[in-house]
Amino acid sequence: MTHRLLFLFLSLLVAPVVARAQEMIEIRNGAPVTIRPDRAYILFRTDRPPGVPAVEPIFLRVPTAEDVEAYYAARLEAFRQAEPRLRQRREEQIRRNRHPVDPEPSPENFVFFSANLQNVHYVDAGRSYVRGRPESVYLFEARPGDYVLYGATYGGPGFTACFCLGTVGFTASAGVVTDLGYFLGDLVHRVSVIPELRAESGFGPSVNGYMVLLGGTVRPASAGLSLPEPLRGLTIRPAEYRAVGKFVEHAATQVNRLAPVAGVLAYERGRVIDVRSGREVPDVPTDPGS
Amino acid sequence: MALLGATAAPAQIDAPPDPTTISLPDMTPTRDRGVIADGWKHFYFHRAGVSYAEAYADFRDCYRFLPVRDALYGYVPGFRLWTRRNAVGPYQPPPNNYGLVGGVILAMIAGPLDRRDRQSRMRRCMEPRGYVRYPLREEIWRQLIDNYSPRSIAMQALAASGPAPDLPPVTR
């Protein structure tokens, strides 16, 4: 019994750390890199001219079928544990004539967060591979898969802006370093000094809500970009960006779109355009789920 | 590889209600300096030449991005289903991490911040589609916006596709 309790206690301490470590691990301070054939590596730089804050990108890895299955199983388990409390709360609201009354509890409307499951990752600006100004370099070991530049935050894991109105995605393949080029972010109530953000900024202070509105974009990798010494000799491929359509993210405190990316992402009266095909990119589908 | 949204069908837009059944508050433009100065607070969207049906589709699309505050609001959510709908729970007021005095101050500014939160989302969604803002008296604005109720979609669409006021648009 003692061992079981001890195991449970240690599991609680260790499990979230282990699970998170498998998703996106920052490689820091110019450490030597050994490429694992079963892991992807994501490299990007930031360019922060004077006066530009350290806006941090948020990435989403498109979940696999197994990820989704694991999520539903974990959610159902958590819901079963929470259900008596949720029902009691709802009955109390009805008894006291409170408005609004919570909906009938169900796994489908149960807001669930698990530290063991992760496919959304924000980049801590302080955990760089090479720290510098105006340029810093970030490097991650990550799960291979399709990624979306999901949003941006500023000063921690509070979610400020999603790029819900249009963004880009890329594939990070196993065994290689995928070079995203630069991530560029700024506050956009004022006109940004970053050329790629100039036309997508200067909206005035009224565009700020609970948080200041963040904007961002990417400057794709090009020949001649400098590389930190430990990365020379590794297989490095420029990211092949794709335009991603609109999606809904209710956790974000602000909504924005990624500024256009030459040759990849454009907009036409609010519609997301895949520049290569010249066609509109439909919204990301949101099936009802199960 | 899993899709990034390139093969999905576009969102279906409900047919707009008959505009003759929609009544608007008095939208007569005002020269009141106070109203014009406060235009960044109380405004409506307008686009020259847009049809009621197109404006309805635009508002309907943009209302999807209005805030729904549940327990995850304001936090990087950890896991997202991406192509399946994530659960949205009951409304949770923003957390008070600022103590008693901070809580009182927050309560005082919560209304304006709520308004700005919604307006910011609508601006980022509507302005790239060519809509501009015109000032409204606060009481008229409240009637038109109707707390972003479903019927306000048609009301805003009707106002947006109506005659342009003889006023400069809001730029702040």
Side-chain angles (χ1 to χ4, degrees):
Chain A
M1 184 64 183
T2 311
H3 283 99
R4 284 182 66 186
L5 283 173
L6 183 62
F7 176 74
L8 184 65
F9 176 66
L10 289 174
S11 299
L12 287 171
L13 284 179
V14 173
V17 176
V18 170
R20 279 177 181 274
Q22 289 172 347
E23 189 63 37
M24 272 179 94
I25 307 168
E26 299 95 344
I27 303 174
R28 300 180 63 190
N29 302 327
V33 179
T34 305
I35 299 291
R36 282 173 48 179
D38 61 334
R39 299 286 281 172
Y41 296 82
I42 297 171
L43 167 74
F44 69 89
R45 303 150 194 82
T46 55
D47 181 8
R48 289 175 53 211
V52 174
V55 177
E56 300 158 320
I58 299 170
F59 295 99
L60 170 137
R61 180 181 53 78
V62 176
T64 62
E66 292 76 28
D67 292 330
V68 172
E69 200 175 309
Y71 174 84
Y72 282 142
R75 187 181 69 175
L76 185 61
E77 178 61 30
F79 172 72
R80 282 178 178 150
Q81 288 184 25
E83 190 177 4
R85 177 177 50 81
L86 296 172
R87 290 200 178 281
Q88 190 182 13
R89 179 178 132 132
R90 186 168 187 273
E91 282 159 16
E92 189 73 6
Q93 289 169 338
I94 293 169
R95 195 174 63 77
R96 294 187 175 203
N97 257 341
R98 290 268 168 82
H99 290 284
V101 173
D102 290 351
E104 179 75 17
S106 72
E108 287 71 37
N109 64 25
F110 177 56
V111 177
F112 168 59
F113 178 85
S114 167
N116 294 318
L117 296 165
Q118 191 184 21
N119 69 337
V120 183
H121 186 98
Y122 94 97
V123 173
D124 183 334
R127 300 172 71 83
S128 56
Y129 188 66
V130 179
R131 183 185 292 238
R133 201 69 196 267
E135 289 192 20
S136 291
V137 180
Y138 294 83
L139 179 66
F140 296 87
E141 184 186 291
R143 282 181 63 179
D146 285 344
Y147 283 79
V148 174
L149 185 43
Y150 202 60
T153 183
Y154 174 43
F159 196 166
T160 51
C162 68
F163 296 136
C164 293
L165 300 172
T167 186
V168 294
F170 60 90
T171 299
S173 301
V176 299
V177 180
T178 301
D179 187 348
L180 306 187
Y182 287 86
F183 170 75
L184 308 165
D186 201 354
L187 315 179
V188 290
H189 64 273
R190 62 192 189 194
V191 177
S192 178
V193 295
I194 297 172
E196 291 92 334
L197 296 179
R198 199 163 292 146
E200 291 275 326
S201 61
F203 302 124
S206 65
V207 86
N208 296 330
Y210 276 102
M211 302 281 184
V212 288
L213 182 60
L214 303 178
T217 193
V218 290
R219 186 183 294 156
S222 56
L225 275 187
S226 65
L227 276 177
E229 184 62 35
L231 305 186
R232 289 184 188 159
L234 301 180
T235 305
I236 297 176
R237 289 188 196 146
E240 287 187 24
Y241 285 114
R242 296 179 284 262
V244 174
K246 287 177 278 185
F247 61 92
V248 173
E249 173 50 84
H250 290 302
T253 56
Q254 299 273 309
V255 168
N256 205 349
R257 65 185 191 181
L258 201 75
V261 181
V264 179
L265 173 71
Y267 300 96
E268 201 177 281
R269 282 202 185 275
R271 292 192 296 272
V272 180
I273 304 295
D274 173 357
V275 175
R276 284 192 198 94
S277 68
R279 296 168 66 176
E280 180 180 355
V281 183
D283 294 357
V284 175
T286 47
D287 298 336
S290 58
Chain B
M1 277 296 177
L3 72 133
L4 284 172
T7 59
Q12 296 295 310
I13 302 294
D14 297 341
D18 180 350
T20 61
T21 65
I22 307 298
S23 57
L24 289 180
D26 180 6
M27 302 290 290
T28 308
T30 176
R31 302 275 168 199
D32 185 308
R33 285 187 183 177
V35 173
I36 291 170
D38 277 351
W40 66 277
K41 295 182 190 170
H42 308 115
F43 59 79
Y44 73 105
F45 290 104
H46 184 273
R47 193 174 111 196
V50 74
S51 69
Y52 164 71
E54 188 181 352
Y56 183 87
D58 285 336
F59 278 101
R60 180 85 174 73
D61 188 42
C62 290
Y63 266 48
R64 294 185 298 149
F65 301 100
L66 288 172
V68 179
R69 298 198 188 93
D70 62 22
L72 290 180
Y73 179 73
Y75 296 95
V76 176
F79 188 90
R80 281 310 201 200
L81 292 164
W82 187 233
T83 56
R84 297 186 191 206
R85 191 167 297 143
N86 295 286
V88 177
Y91 173 85
Q92 308 268 343
N96 170 27
N97 300 321
Y98 312 102
L100 185 61
V101 175
V104 170
I105 294 169
L106 191 65
M108 288 165 62
I109 61 173
L113 285 177
D114 268 350
R115 169 177 52 74
R116 289 173 65 157
D117 186 13
R118 290 172 169 83
Q119 288 174 332
S120 170
R121 292 159 190 258
M122 292 302 291
R123 282 190 61 193
R124 290 305 294 130
C125 192
M126 295 294 287
E127 288 177 356
R129 300 169 194 233
Y131 292 84
V132 295
R133 295 169 289 153
Y134 289 106
L136 278 181
R137 282 187 190 283
E138 182 174 354
E139 62 271 24
I140 302 294
W141 173 81
R142 286 191 188 283
Q143 291 171 48
L144 178 72
I145 301 298
D146 193 34
N147 205 22
Y148 296 93
S149 66
R151 76 182 184 125
S152 71
I153 297 174
M155 291 164 69
Q156 292 210 64
L158 196 58
S161 57
D166 181 21
L167 286 175
V170 177
T171 54
R172 252 183 93 190

